[in-house]
Amino acid sequence: MTTLNITFDGLSADVPVELERMISDTDVRRIAVELVRSGGVPGMQRFPLREDAFQHYVVDRFRGARGEERIYLRPKVPFGAC
């Protein structure tokens, strides 16, 4: 089981997703759009997003302490850039 964390509209929420393989950043963004559109993100209202809503978002991937995969989808931030 992979945990997808989506940060959108000032909110951040974890969604468990069942992935059978490694997916691309494009697929992460597409899945996130569908989850938000359908109201499938706990604590977030349903939003009618465009297909490219997360196009400029950053996808970060980490392993948890027990080896579980965590994927974070977040907006780019203005600080820390070179």
Side-chain angles (χ1 to χ4, degrees), residues 22-35:
M22 179 75 161
I23 61 172
S24 69
D25 291 356
T26 301
D27 286 337
V28 170
R29 292 180 184 100
R30 181 185 50 77
I31 290 167
V33 165
E34 291 304 320
L35 285 168

Side-chain angles (χ1 to χ4, degrees), residues 12-50:
S12 180
D14 286 341
V15 182
V17 290
E18 192 71 41
L19 302 176
E20 295 181 12
R21 60 178 171 78
M22 179 75 161
I23 61 172
S24 69
D25 291 356
T26 301
D27 286 337
V28 170
R29 292 180 184 100
R30 181 185 50 77
I31 290 167
V33 165
E34 291 304 320
L35 285 168
V36 173
R37 279 182 179 171
S38 70
V41 182
M44 284 189 191
Q45 294 180 3
R46 214 161 77 173
F47 290 96
L49 298 179
R50 294 177 13 182

